[in-house]
Amino acid sequence: MMEKKKVVIIDDEANIRELNRHLLLDNFTDVDVVGEADCVDDAVKVIELTQPDIVLLDIEIKGGTGFHVLQRLRPYSFKLIFITAFNQFAIKAIKFSALDYILKPVNEFEFVEAISNALKRIDEANDEAQVDNFIAHYGKDEQRKKMVLRTSDSMHIIEINDIMYCKSDNSYTTFYIKDQKEIVVSKGIKEYAELLEEYRFIRPHQSYLVSLDYIQRIDKSDGGFIILNNGKEIPVSSRRKQSLLQLLDQL
């Protein structure tokens, strides 16, 4: 008989802890909730005592934050899933770091998906590098503009400034990185367009996302193309052409 995976729930709302516990027990026969806590000190104690495989961790808890819990437990070996009420900065930071999260109010489908992902990754290296990146983005550390890209078989931590452009292929996005081979991730380009818009990225075509830093010129013939400094031609859609030209004129 396979040993059950151990889960700890850290949240300062008792009703959320209860809901998460019921969702786990109703949807996963191979997990066991071995502990709960609502504050930093108790969270550290219960995690050290139970050595869980997965921790559901609220960002804002009594006595501090989930980050304080993680700092006191390093190095840790569990899979981490953040629980958070909608917070634009937190969600962006989590996505930049390719971490799993559950948004309050909890949606059962999203909950099951996050737990399933964590269970699949139990044997992978832990999430410390991703958490470091999350904290840097959440704290708006301007010295650390990095992004975590998780593929089917590995994890890449890249400098945002090294991303030349991205290309969409339905539900997949290929990142073309300066001086590196491309990286293919199983997420649509729309999510990355929203994440990277504040880092001088534009979307000249529904299938492309381009860094302004690598644009050499615009060729207005044949409907319009962006020419990157490596010679790559990126098409410009007719409906985006005028706004793109106006944007480049302002630079």
Side-chain angles (χ1 to χ4, degrees), residues 2 7-8 14 106 141 147 150-151 245:
M2 184 181 296
V7 180
V8 164
V106 177
D141 183 347
M147 187 173 199
R150 201 158 65 198
T151 66
L245 290 171

Side-chain angles (χ1 to χ4, degrees), residues 165-218:
Y165 69 98
C166 308
K167 183 180 180 182
S168 171
D169 181 14
N170 296 320
S171 59
Y172 291 86
T173 301
T174 302
F175 282 74
Y176 293 84
I177 314 299
K178 178 184 176 183
D179 302 327
Q180 297 181 41
K181 64 182 181 180
E182 58 265 27
I183 300 170
V184 181
V185 295
S186 57
K187 286 189 178 180
I189 201 168
K190 183 176 184 293
E191 177 170 312
Y192 295 112
E194 293 171 353
L195 286 178
L196 293 170
E197 61 183 354
E198 65 183 279
Y199 292 93
R200 292 170 53 83
F201 279 77
I202 57 171
R203 199 169 176 188
H205 186 281
Q206 66 176 4
S207 297
Y208 288 89
L209 185 63
V210 180
S211 169
L212 288 171
D213 295 334
Y214 293 95
I215 294 178
Q216 186 179 81
R217 62 187 174 88
I218 291 185

